[in-house]
Amino acid sequence: MMPTSSNTSPITTDAPETALIQAPENALIRAPENALADHAVLFALLDRWVERGWLRSLDRAFAAFLHREANRESGNDKESGVSEASPLLLLAAALASHQLGRGHVCLDLAQTLATPDLALSLPPEGDSLEDPPPLPSRVMAALDLAAWRAALAQPELVAEGPGSTPLVLAGSRERPRLYLRRYWQHEQDIHSRIVARLGGTDNDDAPDAARLRPILDALFPEPTQPAPIDWQKAACALAGRSRFAVITGGPGTGKTTTVVRLLALLQAQAFGEGEGTREQALRIRLAAPTGKAAARLNESIAGQVARFNLNGLADDPERLREVIPKEVSTLHRLLGSRPDTRRFRHDRHNPLPLDVLVVDEASMVDVGMMAAMLEALPPWARLVLLGDKDQLASVEAGSVLGDLCARAEGGHYTPATAEWLAQATGQPLPENTLDADGQPLDQAIAMLRVSHRFTADSGIGQLAAAINLEAEPADKRKAIGDALNHGFADLSHLKLSADDERGLARLAVTGCPERFPHAGQGRLSRDGTLPPPVGYRHFLSVMAERRPTDDATQEAFDDWARAVLAAHGDFQLLCALRRGPWGVEGLNERVRQALEREKLIDSQDGRQRWYPGRPVLVTKNDYGLGLMNGDIGITLDMPRPSAANGETNRRLLRVAFPAGDGTDRIKWVLPSRLQSVETVFAMTVHKSQGSEFTHAALVLPDAPNPILTRELVYTGITRARHWLTLAETGRGQLMDAAQRRVMRVSGLGG
């Protein structure tokens, strides 16, 4: 992790586009390397990249802003030695800006020189258009790191730490990183605030292990995991000794169960430390990055708290149950988002009124949100992050959870931590997790390693493990092939040709249960025999067959909506891309046509945007309607108010959403009030984070693409609760995707 810094405020560097700087086109074509020495040629190059879609117009505008500001400074003060920004500096600035849109926090100069073309958003199979502009590899062919670093030595624009310059150069001389100041400051703030919260985790200042032992033994009367160690119990203990903790683990490893017990532990401690009238419960808040993730945690927490046995933890177990929170908020709502600004109502001047904050699905939290959240925490408050380190990182810049958990697999617990844990839990740590040189951060991270959902006979679990396997390519391919070909009851591998409309339609409509062993019949779970996998015909049949009569009560229509929404969650088509025949846009239209051919929906051949059965995904928080990004609703036909009185048989379309507050209420919304929604017969894997589906069908595209990574495939696979169909198109991209990792450039991981 990076060294700490001062509290210099981030500098906003947004700027309006300046006039184009003209250069003879033949100068760029004849000698593209001239762009590194001639401003006019550089901006002509940037313009061509923008036209092609390789660079954002925002990135070009940022470079033009710096050029204008440097010219103004040099023009106003010629005797001071101030010079105009070199083309090399402006190129670095444009590329650093562009990395933010690709999820990177900064530009790694050495890495860019090693693979220049990866600094732009190039089409994965090359640009087929005529007259392509020069590639970065050609422009930068003769450039070396020392020359690039030297070009950045302009103190009016670039600093190597705190200050007011728009750019910051950090890292080592061998691996320099160029930041926009705001994002450098975000990393500094995250690091310094986590370091401050890690204070007190050494053996001298840690909570008394002997006092924690009886509470932990009551919370875990029997091991939840096989010997030699119950990692859930160890995670509770570790999180109970520090003001900062991370609990990571894959699906079904018990992250939510662990956090419920952790909350009971913290409140039981607070009850035990109270004296007379001073006895007071901790103020605990639960949060998640999206509305969908918040609703799911809300439901899970509420159910577990209601069932949890709290005997032996407090004199009044029911009072303890009452103070374990069950309501979950989005982070935006918790912090108090302000329209049209990056700032929040809660910050260091107006901290959150809480003692403990638990954040679920932390892999989705970007670097800016993490910095804002840490800033808004009061110094004494405890922060617990929950998440799967192997899932996709946030859509915005940064991969904070992945950076923090880079060493989680190995544990790296010091002898002092091991001794304290043994006293607190009665369990010794495995030898392979001990490290005398373990870092302070390592002592605050617990990785749950046993899946209770995906057992050894689960194809979903075995395939997910094979995708994440750290091994030679040949060994990894074999592990993936073995999982796909084993004949697991919960896993189907489907291959579709590029023009196989019938195969895609059958998958979307029926779910292809015949592709599973025994057609999915007779499979047992902990709750009994599972129904076979289904497709979208299932929820549309429930919609048609269970619709109440027009004169039924509102309660009957609410019950109907609940049944349809629950049935819709039994199947979801997932994909990697937004555009193309195998992306969201293409698949949504193809699935709509397939369902219309089966007379399951009637959109009048696509002429009607709204029709009964249209599922929609909310793509932007709407606090007025109480809908959050990621919420899914189903369009249903309701009787008009007058229809109940027999005046007319006309019906009114409304979209039914779960209330998302832990209750089973239904929220009915007129389609005309929904401004940011899209059809969701197909959903990107990114949008599916925080969700689970009884049967998930992951459709991989037929051509290579940088977005096809190990993390994306793993996340898509683990959205399936009971059934997974992995559909490969064309020649198949699974094996290549499993070898490609998301490598986000940042300073938090090193």
Side-chain angles (χ1 to χ4, degrees):
M1 294 178 71
M2 297 179 62
T4 57
S5 76
S6 71
N7 293 322
T8 303
S9 299
I11 302 298
T12 300
T13 53
D14 299 333
E17 177 64 283
T18 60
L20 296 181
I21 300 173
Q22 299 296 330
E25 184 65 22
N26 58 1
L28 177 60
I29 297 171
R30 184 174 62 252
E33 63 274 11
N34 286 344
L36 305 185
D38 187 304
H39 290 96
V41 178
L42 172 68
F43 279 98
L45 176 66
L46 297 183
D47 290 335
R48 292 290 308 281
W49 285 351
V50 170
E51 290 170 5
R52 217 61 160 203
W54 298 357
L55 191 75
R56 301 178 302 175
S57 58
L58 173 67
D59 310 322
R60 194 270 185 200
F62 179 59
F65 163 74
L66 295 182
H67 182 58
R68 184 188 66 201
E69 292 299 299
N71 277 343
R72 185 170 63 186
E73 290 293 327
S74 61
N76 291 343
D77 193 7
K78 291 189 176 297
E79 295 183 0
S80 68
V82 175
S83 60
E84 64 177 354
S86 74
L88 270 175
L89 187 155
L90 299 177
L91 174 63
L95 295 179
S97 172
H98 189 62
Q99 302 321 298
L100 295 173
R102 305 171 71 228
H104 303 294
V105 178
C106 56
L107 177 73
D108 184 321
L109 298 182
Q111 185 181 89
T112 301
L113 287 177
T115 53
D117 295 344
L118 295 184
L120 295 183
S121 299
L122 298 176
E125 292 189 307
D127 193 328
S128 60
L129 300 177
E130 294 181 2
D131 188 27
L135 291 168
S137 53
R138 187 178 171 197
V139 175
M140 303 165 68
L143 180 62
D144 61 37
L145 186 60
W148 210 0
R149 277 192 64 106
L152 297 177
Q154 184 156 355
E156 301 80 22
L157 298 178
V158 185
E160 295 191 5
S164 58
T165 58
L167 296 170
V168 177
L169 187 64
S172 64
R173 294 198 65 82
E174 296 75 23
R175 294 303 297 265
R177 299 186 299 270
L178 186 66
Y179 291 80
L180 273 66
R181 176 163 293 280
R182 180 188 305 120
Y183 291 89
W184 176 84
Q185 192 67 53
H186 286 334
E187 281 197 353
Q188 301 304 300
D189 292 344
I190 291 170
H191 174 265
S192 61
R193 290 187 168 115
I194 288 178
V195 167
R197 291 179 182 282
L198 290 174
T201 58
D202 56 42
N203 209 39
D204 292 336
D205 297 327
D208 186 354
R211 292 181 62 187
L212 284 184
R213 178 69 180 271
I215 303 176
L216 285 166
D217 286 347
L219 287 167
F220 296 87
E222 296 180 3
T224 61
Q225 298 168 14
I229 184 170
D230 185 334
W231 281 108
Q232 291 187 19
K233 189 175 185 179
C236 278
L238 286 172
R241 74 195 288 255
S242 170
R243 286 181 296 134
F244 177 78
V246 180
I247 300 175
T248 186
T253 52
K255 294 188 293 294
T256 305
T257 301
T258 302
V259 83
V260 169
R261 298 186 186 203
L262 172 62
L263 298 181
L265 167 70
L266 296 176
Q267 292 291 32
Q269 278 186 290
F271 276 28
E273 293 170 359
E275 296 179 6
T277 59
R278 295 185 60 196
E279 179 175 301
Q280 186 175 350
L282 296 173
R283 299 168 299 171
I284 302 177
R285 295 294 302 273
L286 309 176
T290 67
K292 184 69 176 178
R296 182 174 159 221
L297 180 62
N298 199 332
E299 180 181 353
S300 180
I301 287 273
Q304 293 201 36
V305 171
R307 297 188 301 269
F308 196 46
N309 182 2
L310 298 173
N311 291 331
L313 292 175
D315 295 336
D316 186 350
E318 291 311 307
R319 167 64 178 149
L320 181 59
R321 194 184 311 277
E322 289 174 5
V323 296
I324 299 176
K326 307 167 193 65
E327 295 184 3
V328 185
S329 169
T330 64
L331 282 171
H332 281 87
R333 178 165 286 174
L334 176 74
L335 295 175
S337 60
R338 293 174 170 176
D340 305 319
T341 176
R342 293 185 177 92
R343 304 299 299 173
F344 294 92
R345 185 166 57 86
H346 289 288
D347 56 19
R348 64 181 178 274
H349 303 297
N350 179 30
L352 291 162
L354 51 75
D355 301 304
V356 181
L357 175 60
V358 177
V359 180
D360 193 23
E361 297 291 350
S363 64
M364 300 167 66
V365 181
D366 62 85
V367 67
M369 176 59 78
M370 187 67 74
M373 183 175 66
L374 284 162
E375 179 187 359
L377 285 178
W380 63 83
R382 188 187 306 265
L383 174 63
V384 180
L385 302 180
L386 300 178
D388 185 344
K389 67 180 180 62
D390 295 316
Q391 274 193 188
L392 280 168
S394 61
V395 176
E396 304 297 330
S399 55
V400 181
L401 187 73
D403 290 339
L404 295 176
C405 294
R407 289 158 52 93
E409 201 84 39
H412 299 282
Y413 298 116
T414 63
T417 297
E419 181 181 351
W420 185 91
L421 266 179
Q423 294 175 10
T425 66
Q427 303 173 146
L429 281 169
E431 287 290 331
N432 63 355
T433 66
L434 304 181
D435 180 358
D437 298 320
Q439 301 172 4
L441 178 61
D442 298 326
Q443 317 313 304
I445 296 177
M447 180 175 169
L448 307 181
R449 302 162 190 262
V450 178
S451 176
H452 302 278
R453 184 195 308 169
F454 302 136
T455 56
D457 61 353
S458 166
I460 301 172
Q462 294 299 315
L463 181 59
I467 293 294
N468 277 339
L469 185 65
E470 296 288 353
E472 293 297 322
D475 295 334
K476 187 164 187 171
R477 287 175 180 269
K478 182 179 185 304
I480 293 172
D482 289 347
L484 291 174
N485 299 322
H486 184 274
F488 286 110
D490 58 348
L491 178 60
S492 166
H493 187 207
L494 179 64
K495 295 192 176 181
L496 299 172
S497 61
D499 57 353
D500 191 358
E501 291 298 323
R502 292 181 62 185
L504 174 65
R506 190 163 56 250
L507 173 62
V509 173
T510 71
C512 292
E514 70 279 0
R515 303 282 307 184
F516 291 84
H518 311 295
Q521 299 285 346
R523 184 168 161 234
L524 298 176
S525 74
R526 287 179 296 180
D527 301 320
T529 303
L530 289 170
V534 298
Y536 287 132
R537 173 183 283 157
H538 172 61
F539 96 87
L540 292 168
S541 298
V542 170
M543 182 185 77
E545 295 167 5
R546 296 185 58 175
R547 186 189 186 282
T549 59
D550 283 353
D551 60 354
T553 64
Q554 183 61 48
E555 183 179 357
F557 279 97
D558 287 351
D559 288 341
W560 173 50
R562 276 188 282 271
V564 174
L565 286 164
H568 179 266
D570 287 336
F571 177 73
Q572 182 63 55
L573 203 63
L574 302 175
C575 58
L577 311 175
R578 288 207 57 82
R579 296 181 176 82
W582 300 107
V584 163
E585 294 174 0
L587 285 172
N588 270 324
E589 177 58 19
R590 294 162 73 186
V591 171
R592 182 199 62 76
Q593 293 174 4
L595 296 172
E596 193 130 28
R597 286 194 298 269
E598 295 288 326
K599 302 189 183 307
L600 293 168
I601 60 172
D602 182 11
S603 68
Q604 298 183 23
D605 293 327
R607 292 189 297 274
Q608 291 290 337
R609 182 184 179 212
W610 292 100
Y611 49 87
R614 181 193 177 198
V616 293
L617 176 77
V618 177
T619 59
K620 185 178 180 181
N621 292 346
D622 188 328
Y623 294 106
L625 294 176
L627 297 175
M628 298 293 111
N629 182 11
D631 286 351
I632 292 178
I634 308 294
T635 310
L636 300 174
D637 59 327
M638 299 280 289
R640 288 183 181 271
S642 57
N645 300 324
E647 296 178 19
T648 177
N649 289 325
R650 294 186 63 190
R651 291 175 176 174
L652 181 71
L653 292 180
R654 290 190 182 178
V655 185
F657 291 91
D661 58 1
T663 69
D664 63 354
R665 292 189 306 109
I666 295 296
K667 185 178 299 181
W668 296 92
V669 182
L670 286 169
S672 60
R673 299 191 65 193
L674 295 171
Q675 303 302 312
S676 301
V677 295
E678 61 185 28
T679 303
V680 70
F681 289 124
M683 176 192 296
T684 63
V685 174
H686 271 98
K687 288 289 187 182
S688 74
Q689 287 182 271
S691 300
E692 290 180 355
F693 309 98
T694 305
H695 177 199
L698 175 60
V699 180
L700 299 180
D702 58 352
N705 193 298
I707 203 171
L708 287 175
T709 62
R710 173 166 121 180
E711 289 82 359
L712 181 138
V713 174
Y714 169 83
T715 303
I717 287 170
T718 54
R719 297 312 90 200
R721 187 183 301 116
H722 294 306
W723 308 98
L724 171 69
T725 296
L726 179 69
E728 289 193 86
T729 62
R731 61 179 181 269
Q733 298 298 320
L734 175 64
M735 295 298 184
D736 289 342
Q739 303 289 352
R740 187 184 300 117
R741 296 213 61 178
V742 173
M743 299 300 292
R744 289 198 166 178
V745 181
S746 81
L748 281 175

